[in-house]
């Protein structure tokens, strides 16, 4: 048997091995005595992502990918979904009058439904499925891959009642696709899988509302006991978005592709935009009726805060109010007073970087009828500048404050609660690939940011992807913990936005160098966008939130 020379890296392990040709990566890790092998769920081979059952064919550099990485944790979550669906089949004896639908991310878990005319979700059923999942994990069953023709897969899914998968594959250009097999059950998944069920050691399954939640652990503390709490306000806004999708008869990628091919995309856009404008108008009406004077708007990166603020201000003006925008970024501390992070860099995302005393003093002064000179932060100089911009609140005036810390109680602690109205905005994707493959909200926001960064900031896709993990860490610390503090949540995701973004973002992703760390993510996103048909974006309304990213809007963003 031909021998191969392999350089293996896994955590602190960095060793060379001589192995037989076609040895798989999982066995390689065992031969190298890698500690805690089950925390490594995939690998890169000469820079290309591979599953652990991949047989090595040439001398290679192999780096094991842990579940504490974004790529590894995505594989972990995907594997849990597969095991859950298989467990339902085992408990229900593979009856053909139901299917499980993975709906959307809900906190640290996925909200799911049992779609059936004859079955309902009960605590007894969920307990049985959870027990079966635990048995499947303990049995450490292999997850195999099988290549079939796309048409054969469509026939299988039609027979199983999985119409979304059938619609999805209708638009696949490839003649063959990979199905995953667990026991006697086959399914199609977007992305790689663990090599066996034994890697999926921690999860929970709980009933919630008219469905159930597959709760997942923290990727940095995978074995820590899960204590799941559903974010109720977030759930309500997701349910409303779900209802919008049903109203527009759009549930999955295949539905949008059908609408594009039928020449009805403009109608879909107008309905979506009308629904969104109606909701913004309702928010404005509530602000006026409750007599609020300070609107605090926060949300994660690329959620469309700026356009939303403009559109809300227009609706407030329609009610006779005079809104005044206040950017919280103008209340940064002077550069020399800005805290630094663990690496010695200025930490502009922490609350301590904000001049809280000044912000609260200025806002209180305005509420008390005092004329206040408002600062402008000059980032190049790292200091606040006062250039004669004065503001006084009249009876019909309202302040519209936007910034990442707007919902943090400490940001506005001196302001009376009766004057404050808090808005949380995020692009909460309402579209799924199919019944079992959801589209991550973070993917939509990353694509938005990539297009905007290239258009307005001169950043290429590699740089945007490289910064994304840091951006996400800041959101986890400074934004998401306060989302349930909001008086209202607004979903800025548009059901047509991913095919709209496609022609703008694909050229950017193709430019990411193959030898860069960011290439894995760029390549994944390219494969993801391949599910969508594109369309002519010239008819997208000028005030649409997506215009904040692709350009051509009416707010000069």
């Amino acid at each position: 048997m031909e021998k191969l020379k392999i350089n293996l890296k896994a955590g602190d392990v960095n060793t060379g091995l001589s192995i037989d040709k076609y040895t798989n990566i999982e066995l390689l890790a065992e031969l190298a005595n890698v500690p805690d092998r089950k925390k490594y769920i995939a690998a890169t081979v000469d820079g290309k992502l591979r599953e652990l059952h991949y047989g090595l064919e040439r001398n290679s550099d192999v780096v094991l990918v842990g579940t504490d990485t974004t790529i590894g944790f995505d594989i972990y979550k995907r594997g849990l979904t597969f095991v859950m669906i298989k467990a339902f089949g085992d408990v229900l004896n593979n009856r053909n009058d139901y299917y499980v639908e993975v709906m959307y991310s809900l906190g640290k878990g996925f909200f799911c439904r049992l779609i059936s005319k004859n079955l309902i979700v009960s605590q007894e059923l969920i307990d049985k499925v959870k027990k079966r999942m635990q048995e499947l994990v303990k049995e450490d069953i292999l997850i195999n891959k099988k290549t079939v023709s796309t048409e054969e897969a469509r026939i299988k899914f039609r027979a199983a009642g999985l119409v979304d998968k059938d619609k999805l594959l209708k638009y696949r250009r490839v003649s063959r696709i990979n199905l995953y097999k667990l026991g006697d059950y086959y399914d199609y998944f977007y992305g790689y899988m663990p090599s066996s069920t034994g890697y999926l050691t921690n999860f929970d399954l709980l009933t919630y509302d008219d469905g159930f939640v597959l709760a997942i652990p923290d990727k940095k503390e995978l074995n820590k006991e899960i204590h799941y709490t559903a974010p109720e306000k977030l759930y309500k806004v997701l349910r409303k978005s779900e209802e919008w999708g049903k109203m527009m008869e759009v549930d999955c990628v295949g539905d949008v592709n059908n609408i594009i091919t039928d020449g009805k995309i403009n109608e879909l856009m107008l309905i979506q935009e009308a629904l969104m404008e109606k909701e913004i108008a309702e928010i404005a009406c509530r602000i006026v009726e409750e007599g609020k004077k300070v609107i605090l708007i926060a949300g994660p990166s690329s959620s469309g805060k700026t356009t939303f603020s403009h559109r809300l201000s227009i609706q407030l003006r329609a009610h006779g109010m005079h809104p005044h925008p206040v950017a919280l970024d103008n209340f940064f501390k002077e550069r020399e007073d800005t805290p630094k992070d663990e690496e010695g860099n200025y930490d502009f995302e922490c609350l301590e970087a904000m001049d809280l005393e000044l912000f609260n003093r200025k806002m209180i002064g305005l509420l008390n009828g005092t004329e206040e000179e408002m600062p402008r932060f000059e980032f190049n100089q790292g200091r606040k500048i006062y250039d004669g911009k004065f503001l006084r609140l009249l009876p019909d005036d309202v302040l519209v404050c936007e910034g990442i810390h707007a919902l943090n109680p400490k940001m506005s602690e001196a302001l009376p609660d009766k004057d404050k109205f808090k808005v949380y905005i995020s692009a909460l994707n309402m579209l799924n690939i199919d019944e079992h493959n959801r589209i991550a909200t973070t993917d939509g926001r990353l694509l938005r940011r990539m297009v905007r960064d290239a258009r307005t900031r001169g950043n290429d896709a590699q740089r945007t992807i490289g910064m994304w993990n840091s951006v996400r860490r800041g959101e986890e610390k400074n934004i998401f913990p306060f989302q349930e503090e909001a008086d209202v949540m607004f979903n800025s995701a548009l059901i047509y936005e991913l095919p709209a973004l496609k022609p703008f973002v694909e050229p950017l992703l193709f430019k990411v160098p193959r030898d860069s760390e960011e290439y894995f993510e760029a390549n994944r996103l390219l494969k993801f966008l391949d599910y969508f048909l594109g369309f002519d974006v010239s008819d997208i309304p000028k005030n649409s939130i997506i215009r904040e990213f692709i350009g051509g809007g009416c707010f000069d963003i």
Side-chain angles (χ1 to χ4, degrees):
M1 176 69 73
E2 181 182 347
K3 292 289 186 180
L4 302 178
K5 292 182 179 179
I6 303 296
N7 296 315
L8 176 68
K9 185 174 181 181
D12 295 331
V13 174
N14 195 344
T15 186
L17 294 167
S18 176
I19 62 167
D20 292 336
K21 190 176 182 180
Y22 302 121
T23 298
N24 68 44
I25 300 170
E26 193 167 32
L27 179 57
L28 177 69
E30 183 179 338
L31 294 171
N33 293 316
V34 173
D36 298 324
R37 287 195 298 278
K38 289 295 187 183
K39 79 174 186 179
Y40 297 103
I41 203 163
T44 62
V45 179
D46 295 329
K48 185 173 179 60
L49 188 64
R50 298 291 189 185
E51 291 167 312
L52 293 183
H53 52 59
Y54 176 77
L56 296 160
E57 299 178 352
R58 59 182 63 87
N59 299 337
S60 303
D61 292 320
V62 177
V63 180
L64 298 187
V65 175
T67 50
D68 59 347
T69 65
T70 299
I71 293 173
F73 196 54
D74 283 344
I75 294 172
Y76 186 92
K77 292 183 288 186
R78 197 174 297 121
L80 277 181
T81 302
F82 194 18
V83 169
M84 177 188 71
I85 295 165
K86 164 64 174 169
F88 264 98
D90 291 351
V91 169
L92 297 173
N93 297 315
N94 295 316
R95 54 193 291 175
N96 60 6
D97 60 346
Y98 84 95
Y99 64 88
V100 173
E101 187 168 13
V102 181
M103 301 294 296
Y104 30 71
S105 179
L106 187 62
K108 296 289 186 179
F110 300 132
F111 178 74
C112 309
R113 283 214 184 85
L114 185 67
I115 309 299
S116 174
K117 294 180 180 179
N118 305 311
L119 296 167
I120 60 170
V121 171
S122 66
Q123 188 64 54
E124 180 183 8
L125 173 61
I126 295 303
D127 287 344
K128 288 180 179 178
V129 173
K130 179 181 175 181
K131 180 181 178 182
R132 181 56 185 150
M133 289 178 69
Q134 292 168 335
E135 292 170 350
L136 290 170
V137 170
K138 187 176 182 180
E139 292 169 19
D140 197 13
I141 303 169
L142 291 178
I143 298 176
N144 295 307
K145 186 187 290 186
K146 180 182 180 182
T147 301
V148 302
S149 72
T150 304
E151 186 56 35
E152 180 184 348
R154 290 187 66 189
I155 292 170
K156 282 180 177 289
F157 294 137
R158 280 199 295 269
L162 299 173
V163 295
D164 289 355
K165 287 183 184 290
D166 178 38
K167 284 185 285 190
L168 176 76
L169 296 178
K170 173 184 176 182
Y171 293 97
R172 294 294 284 161
R173 296 180 178 90
V174 294
S175 60
R176 301 184 70 79
I177 63 168
N178 292 320
L179 298 183
Y180 286 98
K181 181 175 182 288
L182 179 54
D184 57 354
Y185 177 68
Y186 286 92
D187 207 341
Y188 175 73
F189 282 91
Y190 158 61
Y192 283 161
M193 276 285 172
S195 60
S196 70
T197 59
Y199 288 84
L200 310 169
T201 53
N202 196 13
F203 61 89
D204 201 358
L205 200 66
L206 314 96
T207 57
Y208 185 74
D209 198 27
D210 59 350
F212 55 96
V213 172
L214 174 60
I216 56 178
D218 188 290
K219 73 177 181 181
K220 296 298 183 182
E221 299 178 289
L222 198 67
N223 296 317
K224 186 177 179 180
E225 186 178 358
I226 298 171
H227 298 284
Y228 179 79
T229 302
E232 294 183 4
K233 290 182 180 179
L234 180 63
Y235 177 64
K236 288 180 180 178
V237 76
L238 288 167
R239 284 301 295 257
K240 177 181 281 189
S241 297
E242 182 187 338
E243 291 166 5
W244 284 10
K246 289 179 180 177
M247 186 187 307
M248 292 180 279
E249 299 181 341
V250 175
D251 180 55
C252 63
V253 172
D255 290 330
V256 176
N257 288 338
N258 283 340
I259 288 170
I260 292 172
T261 57
D262 290 342
K264 297 180 179 178
I265 188 64
N266 284 352
E267 180 182 342
L268 178 68
M269 287 193 297
L270 291 173
I271 295 171
Q272 166 83 96
E273 295 290 349
L275 288 167
M276 191 168 280
E277 192 64 30
K278 179 175 179 286
E279 185 164 1
I280 295 173
E282 289 171 352
I283 293 171
C285 186
R286 182 175 164 187
I287 290 168
V288 173
E289 288 176 350
E290 296 179 10
K292 302 298 184 180
K293 302 296 288 183
V294 182
I295 305 167
L296 299 163
I297 302 172
S301 174
S302 304
S303 53
K305 295 184 290 293
T306 305
T307 300
F308 172 80
S309 298
H310 280 293
R311 288 173 65 171
L312 179 62
S313 294
I314 289 170
Q315 289 291 340
L316 289 168
R317 289 181 68 87
H319 283 82
M321 304 296 289
H322 298 282
H324 297 280
V326 177
L328 298 191
D329 283 0
N330 285 325
F331 289 87
F332 275 117
K333 288 180 178 177
E334 315 314 297
R335 187 64 41 82
E336 61 270 20
D337 298 323
T338 303
K340 294 185 177 180
D341 60 21
E342 299 171 353
E343 298 176 357
N345 300 315
Y346 288 112
D347 187 354
F348 297 111
E349 295 192 348
C350 68
L351 182 67
E352 291 72 23
M354 306 302 297
D355 194 335
L356 301 179
E357 188 277 331
L358 178 67
F359 175 77
N360 281 273
R361 177 159 49 86
K362 292 287 185 182
M363 296 301 107
I364 287 293
L366 290 169
L367 290 175
N368 290 335
T370 304
E371 186 177 54
E372 297 285 347
E373 186 175 12
M374 304 300 286
R376 175 175 61 83
F377 195 86
E378 177 55 58
F379 286 89
N380 290 333
Q381 300 179 33
R383 65 187 182 91
K384 291 184 283 292
I385 293 175
Y386 291 88
D387 48 11
K389 181 183 178 182
F390 287 87
L391 180 62
R392 184 195 298 273
L393 280 191
L394 299 175
D396 290 330
D397 289 357
V398 62
L399 299 170
V400 182
C401 306
E402 176 205 327
I404 65 171
H405 297 291
L407 298 191
N408 189 324
K410 293 181 180 179
M411 187 75 216
S412 58
E413 61 184 349
L415 279 63
D417 288 339
K418 67 179 181 62
D419 291 320
K420 294 188 287 189
F421 190 86
K422 298 180 179 180
V423 180
Y424 175 77
I425 175 173
S426 187
L428 304 166
N429 174 66
M430 65 185 82
L431 194 68
N432 280 346
I433 295 175
D434 60 36
E435 294 90 347
H436 303 154
N437 289 274
R438 51 175 296 278
I439 297 174
T441 290
T442 52
D443 281 351
R445 290 196 293 112
L446 175 56
L447 293 172
R448 282 180 170 190
R449 178 159 177 160
M450 210 175 293
V451 172
R452 185 183 61 190
D453 281 2
R455 183 175 64 84
T456 66
R457 303 175 185 178
N459 290 342
D460 59 19
Q462 182 181 0
R463 177 169 173 77
T464 302
I465 293 171
M467 295 187 301
W468 191 240
N469 281 338
S470 176
V471 171
R472 293 287 313 283
R473 286 194 296 271
E475 293 168 350
E476 292 282 351
K477 180 180 179 182
N478 300 312
I479 299 176
F480 297 148
F482 305 105
Q483 64 185 19
E484 292 289 308
E485 300 277 340
D487 294 297
V488 67
M489 287 188 177
F490 179 80
N491 185 3
S492 68
L494 297 153
I495 208 158
Y496 66 84
E497 74 173 72
L498 291 171
L501 288 168
K502 177 175 178 169
F504 295 91
V505 77
E506 279 186 328
L508 303 174
L509 291 168
F510 275 118
K511 290 181 181 179
V512 176
R514 295 182 67 88
D515 59 352
S516 68
E517 291 183 5
E518 294 79 16
Y519 177 75
F520 294 124
E521 184 70 348
N523 191 49
R524 181 186 72 83
L525 291 170
L526 280 169
K527 290 180 178 178
F528 165 64
L529 289 168
D530 198 43
Y531 288 118
F532 295 88
L533 300 179
F535 68 93
D536 181 5
V537 303
S538 59
D539 288 331
I540 293 177
K542 299 300 183 183
N543 69 338
S544 174
I545 280 177
I546 202 64
R547 287 288 183 186
E548 183 173 331
F549 306 95
I550 66 175
C554 60
F555 297 120
D556 297 322
I557 297 166

